[in-house]
Structure formats: structure tokens, C-alpha cells
Amino acid sequence: MTGEQGAGAGPGRRQPPRHVVVMGVSGAGKTTVARGISDLAGLTFAEADEFHSEANVARMRSGVPLDDAARWPWLRALADWMATRDAEGVSTVLACSALKRSYRDVLRQGPPSVDFVHLDGTAEVIRERMARRAGHYMPASLLDSQLAILERFEPGEPSGLVLDVSLPPEQLVSAAVDRLGLRTGAAAVGG
Ligand SMILES: Nc1ncnc2c1ncn2[C@@H]1O[C@H](COP(=O)(O)OP(=O)(O)O)[C@@H](O)[C@H]1O
Ligand SMILES: O=C(O)[C@H](O)[C@@H](O)[C@H](O)[C@H](O)COP(=O)(O)O
């Protein structure tokens, strides 16, 4: 599906594309929720993990956390991806850790506007999910370093939506779509 429908485009009533980043530590449910938003609201989905260099993936696989220097080119590539889709009139939803304010600010430099949804929850719930998840390069041992650097939305930062990871995925998806006003029908009517 493309973002045109999700953006509520109609003849003479074209809405600007929307860009949503579902953020949080590894295992929080970003991929699950971002895919659900894509399916429900018609935004084009991307997985930020797929933008990492081979060197970054090898580093995480070996249990060494990324540092800022390893993340800046990755974040700029993600911002560019959103900006390019925006220029095409396509709305997007990205699953991306975006753990620090400065990382989110790089993403905000891409398209004209970005909405963040933070999937926040306890280390216990997330650790248990990571342990059960099969076939992913990210070792559960890196969760501690992710939680240590996580910066929640700060005063003075453009506000974002915070959702509790312990809710079922469908509830998280519909809460995000409703609260961000992404429902295809609603957007078209409002358009
Ligand atoms: N809200 C949820 N409730 C229960 N399990 C979930 C929920 N969201 C995701 N999961 C499961 O937790 C694991 C991690 O989810 P995933 O979407 O891969 O997280 P992330 O992309 O943030 O690393 C997966 O096995 C997924 O099926
Ligand atoms: O900045 C980072 O350290 C990585 O991007 C990291 O945050 C991300 O979580 C991994 O790529 C694992 O992927 P998942 O978040 O999908 O588990």
C-alpha cells in the first residue's frame, strides 16, 4: 500500500504526507506496531534495522552496542528516506529505535514534519520478549545499554505519543492511528 491513501488525498484536497516513527528500545514492539499502522492507515512501512551498515550489524551481533559515530550516517539515511518519500507525496511509518533526543532531531531534519510514538515499558517485559524472539541479530544482552541511553521525550522537544508496551499490539496500533489522526476515512473526510 502507498501513503497516498493514508494521507487522505482526494481531487483538489491533497493533504501533505504524514511521517510516523515508532521508537523504543530493542524488543519494545516497534516492528510489530509500525507494520500494523501501515496496514491500518496505508502508510508505507520501513524497518530502520535494514538501513544499518554491515559493520553496524556485525558489531551488534557480537554484543557491542553502537555509539553515536556509528549511528549518525544511519540516522541521516533514514531522514533522507523520509524526505524522498515526502517529495513523492508518500506517507511513511518507520520502526526505528531513535533512543536519544539528538537522534530524533536528525530524523526531524528529513521531511517537514515527523510524529514519534514511543513504545515504553519495563525492562522485565521487554527482556522476556527479546528472549522469545527468534532469528534476530540483536542479543538480549544489549537491552541494558539501550535502556541506559534512552532519553524519553524532553521538555522543549516537540511532543510525541507515549504508549505502554504491555498493551496488546492491536490496541497499540489503533491508539496510534486514532491519536495521530491517521485513519484513512477520517483523513479523507477532514481533507
Ligand atoms: N504489544 C505486544 N504484546 C506482546 N508481544 C509483542 C507485542 N509487540 C511485539 N511483541 C512481540 O515481541 C517481540 C519483539 O517485537 P518487535 O516488533 O520485533 O520489536 P522491535 O522491533 O522493537 O525490536 C516479537 O516476538 C513480537 O511478536
Ligand atoms: O541504535 C541502535 O542501537 C540500533 O538501531 C538498535 O537500537 C536497534 O534496536 C537494533 O538495530 C536492533 O533492532 P530492533 O530494535 O528491531 O530489535
Side-chain angles (χ1 to χ4, degrees):
M1 271 198 267
T2 64
E4 286 92 335
Q5 297 113 318
R13 293 177 158 248
R14 190 170 288 274
Q15 294 287 298
R18 299 286 301 272
H19 303 283
V20 178
V21 175
V22 181
M23 61 161 281
V25 297
S26 184
K30 303 181 294 293
T31 306
T32 306
V33 172
R35 279 195 183 282
I37 293 172
S38 171
D39 289 345
L40 190 59
L43 282 62
T44 295
F45 168 80
E47 171 61 66
D49 291 350
E50 291 174 9
F51 288 67
H52 276 304
S53 64
E54 285 185 21
N56 277 4
V57 172
R59 179 170 168 164
M60 288 186 276
R61 201 189 290 280
S62 70
V64 180
L66 302 181
D67 57 15
D68 285 1
R71 289 188 180 110
W72 297 132
W74 169 68
L75 291 160
R76 282 195 289 268
L78 293 166
D80 286 350
W81 180 81
M82 287 190 285
T84 303
R85 298 289 84 74
D86 188 79
E88 296 167 348
V90 172
S91 295
T92 66
V93 55
L94 181 63
C96 175
S97 46
L99 298 172
K100 293 188 190 178
R101 160 82 186 267
S102 56
Y103 300 170
R104 296 190 286 276
D105 284 344
V106 174
L107 297 174
R108 289 183 177 108
Q109 286 165 15
S113 160
V114 181
D115 288 296
F116 285 87
V117 178
H118 182 193
L119 300 181
D120 201 4
T122 65
E124 290 67 35
V125 170
I126 296 169
R127 199 183 309 282
E128 202 261 333
R129 280 185 199 165
M130 279 181 88
R132 273 192 287 123
R133 182 172 65 172
H136 197 291
Y137 61 79
M138 192 73 172
S141 58
L142 283 189
L143 180 59
D144 288 338
S145 69
Q146 297 231 323
L147 289 165
I149 67 160
L150 172 67
E151 293 171 1
R152 295 177 170 81
F153 300 126
E154 296 181 341
E157 180 176 0
S159 67
L161 185 58
V162 182
L163 297 176
D164 180 348
V165 296
S166 60
L167 293 170
E170 318 77 60
Q171 276 188 38
L172 294 168
V173 169
S174 61
V177 166
D178 287 343
R179 291 178 61 184
L180 295 175
L182 297 170
R183 268 198 207 268
T184 307
V189 169

